[in-house]
Amino acid sequence: MTESQARGAGGSGPTGDQPAERIDDGRAYGRSRGSWDPGLVETSAGTPAGELLRRYWHPVALSSEATGLPRRVRLLGEDLILFRDGGGRVGLVEPRCCHRGTTLYYGRVEDDGIRCPYHGWLFAVDGVCLDQPCEPDRGRNRASYRQPWYPVQEYNGVIFAYMGPADRQPVFPRYDIFEDLRDDEEIVILDHFAFGGPSEAPCNWFQTHENAMDPYHVFILHNAISGHQFDPRLEIWPRIDWQRHPWGVTASQDRDLPDGNVLHRVTEIRVPTIRAIPTPTLTVLGKTNNMSWAVPIDDYRTKVLAMVRKPKDRPPQALPVYAEGKSWFELDEEGHQRYPGDYETQVGQGPITLHSTERLASSDRGVSMVRHQFLEQVRIVASGGDPVGVSFDPGEPPVSLRAGNYVVAPGDESLATEYSFVEQ
Ligand code: FES
Ligand SMILES: [Fe+2]
């Protein structure tokens, strides 16, 4: 065999006026660099996806983080200052003072608002200027100056912000799983819920979000590759399907249990950033007792915040255990390579995944559904409409979630309406 035959067809180059024949044997040289779909991943004001996101309320901090000391926060690519004035009101304002631009991070929080350290202008939580100590009569026109601000709502220990147009501000949504708590129950916030450890990841929010409609990875990543991270019943190969709803997408996974019952597990995504993922350790059966938000800090950073309802005498969901009984934080670099989890695989897709180079397959149908629906909503907002899931009716009832770990008899379609903790 000659050397050129050994290399494959085509010889070593052009002969005479014959153009070189391009060999495509899949090697990396000359490949497309790829690009992402901006309609899915961009979060800044003025981008189509950023404008859709700005029609909803988003978690921006824990209630406990709003204090008399100004705090830097970042949401949808905007740097903001969070504080709680002496009257208990939460303020969320642009850092740059509307007078001459120093930052309110060094401001002094007072009874009625935050006072700029440079010339002392005082701003209420809605940005209205209350005092201009260097001006005649402390600012005859002060009420006409306004520090750029955003409205906030506190809900179960979390501060939510609305960063969109004033005339399209929806009522703050509530969720049925957090209504009507009994005396022996409480709601806690978990920030280690996602990624198997850290609450924040250096990647775009959408690749974290769509993961909730990827039930196949539970079987591979969290079982075959990284060991038995969840309840052994999740290792039974399920029948998987996805359902499109006006408000989001659900994934159903049915597993035939040894006792003849069926584990009907439903995960849920709601436009734009909500995911309801019933606990994979199966310590909670019935309707889900938790939901979470994949919060876009900016295009390159995501924070996941989970809200959990539970009996007061039960511990909140523990950190996932990786190999050798270690948590994500206890693994060294080799440990992360040998036992990767959600953090490694989602961050591993890159700061923003490159949609154009993906090879979506049949098992990615749920991911495709989430993307299509999000892009539809982006177009609705871009053409002047209101997106799904917003309401302007103060009497709007709480949103009813579908997600859960439902153990049912075969053919039984009735689903529990409450959660129950079970002994393991
Ligand atoms: S820069 Fe803030 S009061 Fe002057
Ligand atoms: Fe996962």
Side-chain angles (χ1 to χ4, degrees):
M1 182 183 290
T2 66
E3 187 187 336
S4 69
Q5 284 170 327
R7 278 199 298 268
S12 57
T15 56
D17 55 3
Q18 292 280 314
E21 190 177 319
R22 177 76 190 272
I23 302 169
D24 183 1
D25 60 357
R27 68 188 65 193
Y29 175 78
R31 69 194 181 283
S32 159
R33 293 172 61 87
S35 58
W36 55 72
D37 184 339
L40 297 176
V41 303
E42 292 182 352
T43 63
S44 302
T47 64
E51 290 302 306
L52 170 64
L53 291 168
R54 279 168 176 73
R55 297 299 192 86
Y56 298 89
W57 292 88
H58 296 279
V60 65
L62 303 179
S63 289
S64 58
E65 293 173 326
T67 69
L69 193 63
R71 183 185 188 91
R72 291 188 182 107
V73 294
R74 185 166 167 82
L75 179 60
L76 304 181
E78 298 189 33
D79 288 315
L80 298 163
I81 295 294
L82 177 77
F83 65 96
R84 188 185 298 273
D85 74 13
R89 292 169 291 258
V90 175
L92 186 65
V93 295
E94 188 176 84
R96 188 175 166 81
C97 175
C98 70
H99 176 220
R100 276 178 41 215
T102 196
T103 174
L104 296 178
Y105 177 68
Y106 299 106
R108 193 172 74 188
V109 176
E110 301 187 357
D111 282 349
D112 297 329
I114 187 167
R115 191 179 291 279
C116 178
Y118 205 1
H119 313 97
W121 290 20
L122 175 68
F123 303 105
V125 294
D126 61 359
V128 171
C129 185
L130 303 173
D131 191 22
Q132 296 170 321
C134 309
E135 299 302 308
D137 297 332
R138 303 193 76 111
R140 291 177 198 136
N141 245 339
R142 58 182 179 262
S144 65
Y145 294 85
R146 208 147 179 187
Q147 179 66 13
W149 69 291
Y150 287 124
V152 294
Q153 283 264 352
E154 289 191 85
Y155 180 65
N156 294 331
V158 178
I159 297 167
F160 290 76
Y162 173 74
M163 297 170 62
D167 61 341
R168 305 317 298 157
Q169 179 178 322
V171 294
F172 184 80
R174 293 173 299 131
Y175 301 91
D176 65 344
I177 61 171
F178 302 126
E179 296 286 305
D180 305 321
L181 256 62
R182 297 190 307 268
D183 287 347
D184 63 344
E185 292 180 300
E186 63 182 350
I187 291 172
V188 296
I189 308 302
L190 298 185
D191 62 1
H192 62 250
F193 197 81
F195 312 123
S199 63
E200 232 183 270
C203 65
N204 184 263
W205 77 277
F206 206 96
Q207 62 211 54
T208 289
H209 184 55
E210 67 187 11
N211 167 268
M213 281 303 113
D214 179 8
Y216 282 100
H217 92 278
V218 173
F219 209 86
I220 303 300
L221 176 69
H222 297 298
N223 179 28
I225 298 292
S226 290
H228 309 285
Q229 296 188 325
F230 300 148
D231 186 277
R233 284 169 286 182
L234 290 194
E235 294 166 19
I236 301 168
W237 190 266
R239 296 180 293 280
I240 292 176
D241 200 3
W242 294 272
Q243 302 81 34
R244 160 91 191 231
H245 308 272
W247 41 262
V249 180
T250 50
S252 58
Q253 305 139 67
D254 288 337
R255 292 171 167 89
D256 295 326
L257 299 176
D259 65 3
N261 285 323
V262 173
L263 174 61
H264 177 59
R265 179 172 162 84
V266 179
T267 57
E268 172 175 351
I269 269 184
R270 285 183 175 265
V271 180
T273 65
I274 288 172
R275 309 100 50 72
I277 303 170
T279 176
T281 52
L282 302 189
T283 48
V284 177
L285 296 180
K287 187 158 175 157
T288 184
N289 69 329
N290 77 78
M291 56 180 266
S292 61
W293 291 262
V295 185
I297 298 172
D298 55 32
D299 292 1
Y300 301 97
R301 277 195 299 157
T302 303
K303 183 179 180 70
V304 172
L305 254 176
M307 197 173 277
V308 183
R309 175 178 185 163
K310 68 175 195 63
K312 286 176 181 166
D313 61 357
R314 299 284 184 150
Q317 182 164 307
L319 277 172
V321 174
Y322 286 76
E324 303 154 24
K326 292 180 175 173
S327 77
W328 185 92
F329 298 98
E330 294 167 321
L331 290 177
D332 60 13
E333 188 63 19
E334 180 178 336
H336 287 301
Q337 280 189 279
R338 295 200 182 283
Y339 308 108
D342 288 314
Y343 185 93
E344 286 75 21
T345 52
Q346 292 169 33
V347 173
Q349 290 173 299
I352 303 180
T353 199
L354 301 170
H355 302 105
S356 72
T357 66
E358 292 175 329
R359 309 299 295 270
L360 295 188
S362 64
S363 54
D364 301 307
R365 190 153 70 87
V367 167
S368 296
M369 291 165 75
V370 174
R371 294 180 183 178
H372 280 133
Q373 185 171 48
F374 190 84
L375 291 169
E376 280 173 17
Q377 297 301 317
V378 167
R379 287 193 288 272
I380 286 172
V381 169
S383 56
D386 291 316
V388 70
V390 301
S391 170
F392 304 99
D393 175 7
E396 184 74 16
V399 173
S400 181
L401 299 185
R402 301 281 181 98
N405 288 316
Y406 304 102
V407 177
V408 294
D412 181 359
E413 300 201 339
S414 62
L415 300 179
T417 56
E418 292 187 359
Y419 75 92
S420 62
F421 263 75
V422 293
E423 303 294 343
Q424 291 285 295

